[in-house]
């Protein structure tokens, strides 16, 4: 919660939208660089996949983890295994993502590593989430 409070305070600072966007992306890249090797590699790939497939999503920190927002609302996020002492990292979507499929659909995925097929699936989901 302390990290989230810092994020809110930082986003309230005055400055142009471009300056804020650049600062938020720099903060995401810095947070990714701090991660353990396995989490860092996955987070770097996810960052690249999201930017390539949904450039309208703005990178930002959300509870101290990389997230991607549209109009200020977080659409998808990455949680490192290290931060939560978990056996896997997580890539998830919030309710603003357009992923509805019938009466039940996945909203988060456990990640131990990323294959090319996994990256393709993430790209597909991110595109659908912002459609």
């Amino acid at each position: 919660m302390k990290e989230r409070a810092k994020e809110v305070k930082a986003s309230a600072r005055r400055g142009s939208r471009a300056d804020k966007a650049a600062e938020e992306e720099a903060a995401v890249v810095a947070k990714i660089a701090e991660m353990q090797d396995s989490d860092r590699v996955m987070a770097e790939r996810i960052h690249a996949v999201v930017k390539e497939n949904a450039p309208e999503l703005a990178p930002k920190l959300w509870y101290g983890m990389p997230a991607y927002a549209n109009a200020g609302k977080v659409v998808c996020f990455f949680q490192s295994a290290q931060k939560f002492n978990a056996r896997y990292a997580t890539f998830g979507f919030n309710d603003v993502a357009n992923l509805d499929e019938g009466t039940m659909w996945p909203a988060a995925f456990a990640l131990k590593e990323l294959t090319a097929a996994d990256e393709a699936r993430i790209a597909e989901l991110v595109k659908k989430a912002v459609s």
Side-chain angles (χ1 to χ4, degrees), residues 7 16 28 34 36 56 70 73 75 78 91 100 115 129:
E7 293 160 12
S16 72
V28 167
E34 293 173 4
Q36 259 182 356
E56 62 270 35
N70 190 4
K73 295 183 179 182
V75 174
F78 176 82
F91 182 70
D100 300 31
T115 65

Side-chain angles (χ1 to χ4, degrees), residues 25-101:
E25 182 160 11
V28 167
V29 170
K31 183 58 76 172
I32 290 170
E34 293 173 4
M35 293 178 183
Q36 259 182 356
D37 288 345
S38 60
D39 286 345
R40 182 180 38 75
V41 169
M42 287 189 290
E44 287 171 346
R45 289 302 311 136
I46 287 171
H47 184 71
V49 167
V50 171
K51 285 187 58 116
E52 180 181 326
N53 292 281
E56 62 270 35
L57 293 180
K60 65 184 282 175
L61 289 178
W62 188 57
Y63 294 98
M65 291 284 105
Y68 304 87
N70 190 4
K73 295 183 179 182
V74 172
V75 174
C76 56
F77 57 89
F78 176 82
Q79 292 178 337
S80 73
Q82 175 190 4
K83 178 162 177 115
F84 298 101
N85 294 321
R87 64 185 182 93
Y88 54 81
T90 304
F91 182 70
F93 294 90
N94 281 340
D95 62 337
V96 295
N98 297 320
L99 296 175
D100 300 31
E101 223 174 79

Side-chain angles (χ1 to χ4, degrees), residues 1 3 7 17 22-23 48 55 63 67 72 79 84 114 121 124:
M1 292 306 287
E3 287 190 51
E7 293 160 12
R17 280 190 185 158
E23 285 177 17
Y63 294 98
Q79 292 178 337
F84 298 101
L114 279 179
R121 178 72 173 133
E124 178 183 309

